[in-house]
Amino acid sequence: MSHEYEIIIGLEVHAELQTKSKIFCSCPNSFGQKPNTNVCPVCLGLPGSLPVFNESALDLALKAALALNCEISTFSRFDRKNYFYPDLPKAYQISQYDFPVARNGYLDVVKEGETIRRIRIDRLHLEEDAGKLQHDPSGSSSYVDFNRCGVPLMEIVSAPDLRSPEEARLYLESLKRILLYTGTSDCKMEEGSLRCDANISLRPVGSKEFGAKVEIKNMNSFKAVQKGLEYEVYRQEKLLREGERVYQETRRWFEEQGITLEMRGKEEEKDYRYFPEPDLPPLNITAERVRKIRELLPELPVQRASRYIEEYQLTPYQAEVITSSQGLADFFEETLKGYRDAQKVSNWLLGDVLKLVNEQGGEIGVLSFQPVHLAELLSLLDEGVISGRTAKEVLEETFQTGKAPREVVQAKGLVQISDEKSLLNVIDKVLAENKGAVEDYTSGNKKALAFLVGSTMKHTKGQANPQLVQQLLRQRLDG
Amino acid sequence: MSVSRKEVEYVASLARLDLLPEEKESITQQFNVILDYIQRLKELNLSGVEPTTHVQQLKNVFREDRSEEKGRELLPEVLEEAPDSARGLFKVPPVIEEES
Amino acid sequence: MDYYKMSAAEAAGALQNKEVTSQELTASVLRRIGEVEEEIQGFITLLDENETLLEAEKIDKARASGESLSLLAGVPMALKDNLCTRGIPTTCASKILRKYRPPYDAHVVEKLKETGTVLVGKANLDEFAMGSSTENSAYYTTRNPWDTTRVPGGSSGGSAALVAAGEVFFALGSDTGGSVRQPASLCGVVGLKPTYGLVSRYGLIAFASSLDQIGPLTRDIRDCALVMDVIAGHDPRDSTSVPREKENYTDYLGRDVKGLKVALPRDYFEEGINAEVKKVVMEAVRKCSGLGMEIEEVSMPYTSCALPAYYLVATAEASSNLARYDGVQYGYRAAEAKNLLSLYKKTRNEGFGPEVKRRIMLGTYSLSSGYYDAYYLQSLKARTLIREDFQKVFENYDFIVTPTSPTVAFKAGEKTDDPLTMYLSDICTITANLAGVPAISIPCGFVDGMPVGLQVLGRPFDEGRIFQFCYALESLLGVRNQLPEVNVKRGG
Ligand SMILES: [Zn+2]
């Protein structure tokens, strides 16, 4: 990337709130139902129907807002945003315009455990989601499914503080962590419960004025956001270099082609004619409500990570990965209650445990593999009851069956052979069978010892204590 | 203050009304009569007056977050009213808007 | 027997005393409809007679089996055709909702069903309740039963005419700027616009959400109180419905009014008020002193900005409320639209009548960028001043009395070409909607054989005392449940 132009990016994130029912009616807030079956007169916008605001939607939005260090508005209200589109049954969206529930927050963007930048959040407001359109491949018709209408959304608008496409992606990752932590949104981009539009402009380095702002839509993953913005940087930079103009417009990201193209039609009118929603009385968000929600706020990922570094001497990288999900971090802390060595827990957790979790495709904490299991496994290792290799086997078994590691070790006869007498029998056999190696060893090739340890382990099917085997072999050979 | 025919056309496009030429003409005229009458408001000193968006003092009217399924029962009646539908979906002409 | 001539309370009493059955009441009303409806044209949808009678029979059976029934059980009535009725066409007198059958009942419809009233049909109105004469109905103009060359007023003109002509015992209307009171006045019946938030708007097809209220049109004050007993009360489905203890409005009837204070705002007796109308209203007011009430003139200086403020607020909200009629989900869809934009534009242009389009245009204009502050925001501020005018008067007075309409019913076609003159016929009624206060129109006399209405406004939620006052006044004036002779075309 050149140093001629400064990149200015702002993100608008829409996150569905995890309520039980929709924002203005009692239809379930659920995904994947048969078209137009999760609807009622209110979310269908039928003539005569009226909205009633779901209190949980407010509380979840406030929780997210507090986690994003926002100021909560004492006075807030809903407004109507008027525009025509077939997925919007009332032809207006109930949203918030000049009195959002929260403003002026910030989010610390984290990269490999280090906070790299503080990004300001302009506002956080509530609104209702629209339905979904399906298009006939022949282009002759479109079809509307209103199921998603009225799902509660919060829109989180960042200030134009992001300075690179990578930063934009990292911002989203940090934001997602916070929303997951606070339990406000499940952030499933593939199901559309988290969506992101970006505004990007370039300006000559040192310039104070903003360049023409281009809005990019349809980026359906964090990677797509980065790639879309990277393409846009390239495109705008090329135009500017060639002395051409960048037009303010809305462009759509095409993932397969890896390009953005101007969107026609839909955005021609930005005259939304906002006005206060007469069907909904305003909100007075009391200090008492805010206090109660603040009490429910969990320790957030950034705080948690720095505590891990401080308290457990984890590396920033370890701390970031462990705190990337609340479930993982909880698992980590829970394990430490039964086993002290945080470094070992972290190594196992980030290594073999996560590998198995990913293979099983589940979520840590909800699988049958529990923190007590990991603590027990590590203790068995320390006690010398099992070898590292056996431990991996036990781990897998516990993952499959949910049986405690001690039980697995007993049942499968995996207890390490630490009995010198029986080991010496095996060793004598091994020495007799490997005369060549013995000679190599005595003639000074110390690597032959490793071979002999390996052979002994093989004979015991890995159940021998390797330290003990080595010690006994030396006694025999050197003695 | 008077409204031009061009403004009337812009407003009509915002409101998605395909007004006939004579409708545009008469609405432009009537607009000017009505807006002239509305000028009375301008004679008031409204600085410092709070706008009334809701006549009541109601605040924080909430619904408890409980869900109830109604859709399946409702669907047949709703679809019967649809001008065009297929497979339980509302059918519309292609969403490709012409530039006007 | 011409049972239809009874008031709803009288009919209910006769039902309770088993002097008459609901089927007999219904049959009487249906006969009356058969005689006069062709002339009046108050209904948009008249339900199948046999089914209506069957409903009445159900109530009769329930009564015969000793079930305890509500007072109005078995009394035939009509609903303005902007109140949703499940499975029954609800058209708003618009082409865009022709044949539209809602999948649910409005809150008030549920209440009336629970009570056991018998729905006879859906009443005509100005399209989407926008108008003062029913001439904006996409179907036909309802005629004033007192003179069928004249309009019944509007927008609840169908409801008012049906009650006045004896085609139903009572009806519900909706009032955004006088749409219950003005037709009540012009047809010589009682019409109440309740306090904003007293009656749930759930299922009332919105015109201007911050102004709309549902209200009864009845033959006298007692009937009005009886209907309010049924429809008033908190409904959690309407966020603007006020949670408060339910009152028994009929309890207020007959209480002494001595010492209550009436304000007479001179601002309502100036601009465009017909001299004869003013005279009749003033005579009625003078009689109030005979009831031991104090009457004083007051000034409400911001009255003159009510009409412009009203038209801005109402049209802005309407432009948004009526945006949903786009031919996608229900109602009229224009043929041969090759793409979505043309579908929208054609459907809406063909589906809405001229007055509705005019108001959508005005509302869209006043909300559009660049004009919001100059028009819409100004109107909200003016609304504050109008509210304060009321608050000040109600600090010292219990009621405000004004004419309901500046004139008696005008001839059909007289004002259709001039929207502003038509708007001026709402001049006395719109303030109550802007301020959210209750207001009633009661008949107080005649000019040239046409009824004149007197409007009483009260403090928010003071409907009970409005009934108390009006009941006393009604007895004093001797003007109640007066049915005109309709020029009936008899025989074949
Ligand atoms: Zn719903």
Side-chain angles (χ1 to χ4, degrees):
Chain A
M1 229 160 280
S2 89
H3 299 285
E4 244 178 283
Y5 296 100
E6 187 183 20
I7 301 165
I8 312 285
I9 298 170
L11 295 181
E12 288 171 16
V13 171
H14 286 90
E16 288 182 1
L17 292 164
Q18 280 185 291
T19 51
K20 293 191 196 79
S21 59
K22 291 185 178 179
I23 185 165
F24 298 123
C25 65
S26 55
C27 290
N29 177 9
S30 56
F31 177 80
Q33 265 151 319
K34 250 182 78 185
N36 295 310
T37 57
N38 191 31
V39 289
C40 72
V42 178
C43 53
L44 281 173
L46 291 183
S49 66
L50 295 168
V52 187
F53 182 38
N54 179 348
E55 188 167 14
S56 290
L58 175 64
D59 287 345
L60 287 176
L62 292 178
K63 201 171 174 192
L66 287 175
L68 293 168
N69 311 292
C70 290
E71 294 162 14
I72 306 296
S73 315
T74 314
F75 177 85
S76 181
R77 74 163 180 234
F78 288 101
D79 297 275
R80 291 189 184 176
K81 179 182 183 180
N82 296 284
Y83 65 94
F84 287 86
Y85 208 64
D87 63 5
L88 193 67
K90 300 187 293 297
Y92 60 83
Q93 180 191 32
I94 303 180
S95 180
Q96 298 194 292
Y97 185 55
D98 39 11
F99 297 95
V101 290
R103 287 178 193 275
N104 300 333
Y106 63 83
L107 169 62
D108 286 328
V109 172
V110 172
K111 184 184 182 183
E112 286 163 16
E114 313 279 357
T115 295
I116 54 164
R117 282 175 50 82
R118 176 162 288 185
I119 302 302
R120 289 172 299 156
I121 308 250
D122 268 352
R123 55 186 277 145
L124 184 152
H125 74 247
L126 281 157
E127 61 189 27
E128 57 181 340
D129 207 346
K132 273 184 189 162
L133 273 178
Q134 301 172 7
H135 304 285
D136 200 314
S138 70
S140 62
S141 319
S142 299
Y143 299 87
V144 200
D145 172 6
F146 292 110
N147 278 350
R148 199 177 64 183
C149 284
V151 165
L153 288 179
M154 56 181 166
E155 181 172 336
I156 301 164
V157 183
S158 85
D161 286 354
L162 295 157
R163 291 291 171 268
S164 75
E166 189 203 14
E167 244 177 50
R169 180 183 50 92
L170 293 168
Y171 165 88
L172 288 172
E173 283 170 3
S174 302
L175 179 63
K176 179 181 172 179
R177 268 199 293 274
I178 288 181
L179 300 186
L180 287 174
Y181 257 66
T182 48
T184 49
S185 176
D186 65 9
C187 298
K188 289 181 181 157
M189 265 189 123
E190 65 284 3
E191 287 181 9
S193 64
L194 190 78
R195 306 194 280 275
C196 174
D197 299 332
N199 289 307
I200 173 166
S201 64
L202 263 56
R203 66 179 172 195
V205 168
S207 165
K208 286 260 159 68
E209 273 161 51
F210 288 115
K213 194 167 80 176
V214 174
E215 187 177 356
I216 311 175
K217 290 183 176 289
N218 197 42
M219 298 171 295
N220 295 321
S221 68
F222 290 175
K223 270 189 199 137
V225 171
Q226 182 169 347
K227 281 197 285 181
L229 287 169
E230 278 164 359
Y231 173 81
E232 199 51 31
V233 169
Y234 161 80
R235 189 187 70 87
Q236 291 188 19
E237 204 176 335
K238 189 159 174 283
L239 284 173
L240 293 172
R241 281 238 184 86
E242 287 164 3
E244 291 196 45
R245 230 185 107 183
V246 173
Y247 287 94
Q248 181 160 342
E249 62 191 5
T250 302
R251 301 177 71 87
R252 189 182 164 92
W253 168 245
F254 289 86
E255 179 81 33
E256 278 175 39
Q257 293 82 355
I259 53 169
T260 62
L261 289 175
E262 190 195 339
M263 273 173 92
R264 282 172 182 275
K266 192 182 173 183
E267 294 299 309
E268 61 181 4
E269 291 152 7
K270 284 266 184 181
D271 201 338
Y272 290 128
R273 289 156 285 135
Y274 281 100
F275 72 103
E277 167 58 282
D279 288 329
L280 292 166
L283 303 171
N284 171 32
I285 305 172
T286 60
E288 177 61 10
R289 180 181 289 272
V290 175
R291 189 187 59 74
K292 277 189 186 152
I293 290 165
R294 204 184 287 279
E295 275 173 12
L296 295 174
L297 220 54
E299 187 185 21
L300 295 171
V302 173
Q303 287 124 279
R304 213 165 182 181
S306 43
R307 181 164 63 84
Y308 287 0
I309 296 167
E310 182 107 331
E311 224 169 275
Y312 305 123
Q313 284 79 48
L314 297 193
T315 66
Y317 173 76
Q318 285 174 319
E320 193 210 340
V321 180
I322 290 178
T323 55
S324 71
S325 110
Q326 198 170 17
L328 190 59
D330 286 348
F331 197 102
F332 172 71
E333 290 186 31
E334 204 54 38
T335 308
L336 288 177
K337 288 182 185 162
Y339 183 81
R340 287 273 175 93
D341 190 335
Q343 206 43 250
K344 272 196 196 157
V345 173
S346 163
N347 286 338
W348 275 80
L349 210 49
L350 299 184
D352 297 276
V353 175
L354 270 192
K355 205 179 115 213
L356 284 167
V357 170
N358 290 335
E359 278 170 19
Q360 291 212 352
E363 234 173 285
I364 190 131
V366 297
L367 292 168
S368 50
F369 184 71
Q370 293 298 311
V372 286
H373 295 147
L374 182 58
E376 193 174 297
L377 188 75
L378 294 176
S379 304
L380 287 170
L381 255 176
D382 281 1
E383 290 159 19
V385 178
I386 53 172
S387 65
R389 206 176 109 182
T390 310
K392 291 188 185 186
E393 210 182 313
V394 175
L395 180 68
E396 271 178 52
E397 184 69 17
T398 306
F399 246 91
Q400 300 295 336
T401 61
K403 277 189 198 146
R406 224 173 263 283
E407 239 178 278
V408 175
V409 169
Q410 298 286 327
K412 292 207 152 185
L414 296 175
V415 180
Q416 194 161 256
I417 303 170
S418 300
D419 163 16
E420 287 190 22
K421 218 170 168 189
S422 50
L423 266 184
L424 280 171
N425 285 338
V426 180
I427 282 171
D428 288 339
K429 218 169 162 190
V430 168
L431 292 177
E433 281 169 11
N434 296 287
K435 293 242 166 65
V438 174
E439 262 168 48
D440 286 349
Y441 181 83
T442 40
S443 62
N445 187 352
K446 301 292 176 201
K447 273 187 190 154
L449 182 67
F451 174 79
L452 292 167
V453 172
S455 299
T456 314
M457 292 303 290
K458 212 171 172 181
H459 272 275
T460 60
K461 297 197 173 87
Q463 288 182 44
N465 179 337
Q467 272 90 40
L468 190 61
V469 170
Q470 196 168 13
Q471 191 193 321
L472 293 173
L473 269 170
R474 278 219 183 89
Q475 274 176 27
R476 272 284 193 269
L477 293 166
D478 300 340
Chain B
M1 195 160 180
S2 77
V3 173
S4 67
R5 186 165 159 151
K6 213 175 158 205
E7 277 178 292
V8 166
E9 283 171 358
Y10 169 69
V11 174
S13 82
L14 275 182
R16 298 289 190 266
L17 289 169
D18 198 8
L19 297 180
L20 304 169
E22 58 268 28
E23 288 179 303
K24 285 179 194 165
E25 203 53 55
S26 70
I27 284 187
T28 308
Q29 277 177 16
Q30 288 162 350
F31 249 46
N32 282 316
V33 175
I34 296 165
L35 290 175
D36 200 45
Y37 184 75
I38 284 170
Q39 292 306 313
R40 285 178 173 212
L41 279 185
K42 299 261 158 80
E43 292 158 19
L44 298 173
N45 178 13
L46 293 168
S47 63
V49 178
E50 279 296 310
T52 294
T53 57
H54 299 79
V55 281
Q56 307 157 305
Q57 301 308 305
L58 285 178
K59 291 240 163 73
N60 296 347
V61 177
F62 296 124
R63 186 174 61 75
E64 209 184 305
D65 186 17
R66 263 195 296 213
S67 74
E68 190 189 340
E69 270 186 60
K70 294 185 194 133
R72 265 165 238 279
E73 190 203 329
L74 199 67
L75 187 62
E77 275 173 84
V78 170
L79 280 178
E80 209 174 313
E81 294 300 316
D84 199 0
S85 69
R87 297 172 282 114
L89 294 153
F90 296 86
K91 196 171 169 185
V92 291
V95 188
I96 306 152
E97 301 200 357
E98 269 181 12
E99 259 138 286
S100 47
Chain C
M1 253 288 273
D2 287 340
Y3 295 120
Y4 71 84
K5 289 180 178 166
M6 292 194 251
S7 74
E10 288 158 2
L15 281 169
Q16 282 201 315
N17 297 334
K18 313 221 166 138
E19 293 159 17
V20 67
T21 63
S22 175
Q23 289 171 84
E24 286 168 328
L25 285 183
T26 307
S28 167
V29 155
L30 290 173
R31 220 174 303 122
R32 178 68 176 167
I33 290 169
E35 286 169 2
V36 303
E37 176 57 10
E38 206 185 316
E39 194 64 18
I40 302 295
Q41 299 203 296
F43 285 106
I44 289 182
T45 301
L46 189 57
L47 299 187
D48 181 87
E49 291 199 359
N50 294 324
E51 302 217 354
T52 309
L53 284 166
L54 222 60
E55 284 302 309
E57 193 188 340
K58 275 189 210 161
I59 299 293
D60 286 336
K61 280 186 175 158
R63 198 184 299 278
S65 72
E67 253 180 68
S68 88
L69 295 173
S70 304
L71 205 55
L72 287 174
V75 177
M77 55 87 190
L79 297 166
K80 189 178 183 178
D81 207 22
N82 60 354
L83 292 164
C84 288
T85 41
R86 185 172 186 173
I88 297 169
T90 302
T91 68
C92 286
S94 180
K95 183 180 169 187
I96 216 157
L97 284 178
R98 188 193 289 268
K99 293 182 187 158
Y100 169 65
R101 287 163 307 162
Y104 75 104
D105 280 328
H107 175 79
V108 290
V109 175
E110 282 180 3
K111 288 285 157 199
L112 288 170
K113 275 189 177 172
E114 283 167 22
T115 305
T117 59
V118 177
L119 177 63
V120 177
K122 305 290 294 285
N124 195 19
L125 63 150
D126 288 290
E127 185 178 3
F128 283 101
M130 296 179 185
S132 309
S133 65
T134 71
E135 288 166 298
N136 297 331
S137 167
Y139 303 112
Y140 33 72
T141 301
T142 297
R143 300 297 167 146
N144 193 312
W146 294 90
D147 174 355
T148 53
T149 65
R150 292 173 191 262
V151 299
S155 65
S156 310
S159 300
L162 291 173
V163 174
E167 295 182 72
V168 288
F169 288 93
F170 71 91
L172 291 188
S174 69
D175 189 315
T176 307
S179 279
V180 163
R181 291 160 286 155
Q182 186 257 14
S185 166
L186 269 45
C187 290
V189 298
V190 169
L192 171 74
K193 183 209 85 81
T195 308
Y196 187 78
L198 181 60
V199 178
S200 168
R201 293 181 295 118
Y202 191 77
L204 164 66
I205 298 183
F207 160 15
S209 313
S210 78
L211 305 164
D212 294 344
Q213 268 293 291
I214 297 166
L217 291 115
T218 60
R219 308 258 183 93
D220 64 13
I221 293 295
R222 179 175 293 277
D223 285 5
C224 191
L226 273 175
V227 177
M228 282 304 287
D229 279 343
V230 175
I231 64 171
H234 181 241
D235 172 18
R237 292 171 299 185
D238 174 0
S239 305
T240 62
S241 160
V242 176
R244 61 195 302 278
E245 217 169 297
K246 213 168 153 61
E247 289 196 73
N248 202 341
Y249 292 112
T250 38
D251 287 353
Y252 285 88
L253 307 180
R255 288 190 194 166
D256 197 2
V257 294
K258 212 175 189 167
L260 294 176
K261 292 177 79 179
V262 174
L264 218 52
R266 54 183 82 88
D267 318 80
Y268 284 76
F269 289 84
E270 288 162 3
E271 202 172 15
I273 308 291
N274 174 283
E276 296 292 307
V277 168
K278 188 172 164 180
K279 211 173 111 194
V280 172
V281 173
M282 286 311 291
E283 270 169 34
V285 168
R286 234 164 273 133
K287 289 184 181 163
C288 295
S289 40
L291 294 167
M293 298 176 83
E294 287 177 46
I295 302 153
E296 280 172 14
E297 264 195 36
V298 297
S299 156
M300 299 180 79
Y302 293 110
T303 307
S304 65
C305 64
L307 197 62
Y310 171 77
Y311 272 91
L312 288 169
V313 171
T315 57
E317 292 181 13
S319 72
S320 173
N321 284 329
L322 272 65
R324 72 190 67 193
Y325 307 104
D326 57 9
V328 172
Q329 217 195 108
Y330 46 78
Y332 176 75
R333 174 186 284 197
E336 289 165 38
K338 52 190 184 307
N339 63 39
L340 190 72
L341 187 61
S342 82
L343 174 86
Y344 282 160
K345 289 188 166 180
K346 280 189 175 165
T347 297
R348 290 168 60 76
N349 206 52
E350 293 168 13
F352 290 132
E355 180 60 25
V356 171
K357 283 193 253 185
R358 196 149 45 223
R359 295 202 197 189
I360 290 175
M361 289 287 292
L362 184 58
T364 306
Y365 174 76
S366 71
L367 288 175
S368 67
S369 65
Y371 296 104
Y372 183 90
D373 288 354
Y375 289 115
Y376 188 69
L377 188 63
Q378 293 292 95
S379 68
L380 296 184
K381 288 181 174 180
R383 197 172 176 181
T384 304
L385 298 177
I386 291 158
R387 275 174 63 205
E388 287 171 357
D389 259 1
F390 275 97
Q391 281 163 3
K392 276 179 210 146
V393 172
F394 284 133
E395 279 170 20
N396 298 310
Y397 300 89
D398 300 293
F399 309 108
I400 295 169
V401 172
T402 77
T404 308
S405 168
T407 63
V408 293
F410 44 91
K411 298 269 185 191
E414 196 180 311
K415 296 186 181 178
T416 38
D417 292 335
D418 184 355
L420 190 59
T421 313
M422 188 71 97
Y423 294 173
L424 284 167
S425 54
D426 296 335
I427 195 120
C428 299
T429 46
I430 48 177
T431 49
N433 302 80
L434 288 168
V437 301
I440 198 169
S441 177
I442 65 168
C444 69
F446 292 87
V447 168
D448 298 336
M450 295 306 292
V452 173
L454 174 149
Q455 181 179 226
V456 177
L457 302 97
R459 298 188 184 107
F461 301 106
D462 215 7
E463 278 80 357
R465 293 203 314 158
I466 289 177
F467 289 139
Q468 180 181 344
F469 170 33
C470 290
Y471 187 73
L473 191 58
E474 182 184 74
S475 323
L476 196 70
L477 297 173
V479 187
R480 64 165 282 277
N481 195 15
Q482 289 191 315
L483 298 187
E485 293 288 327
V486 180
N487 306 325
V488 178
K489 293 174 188 161
R490 280 182 200 275

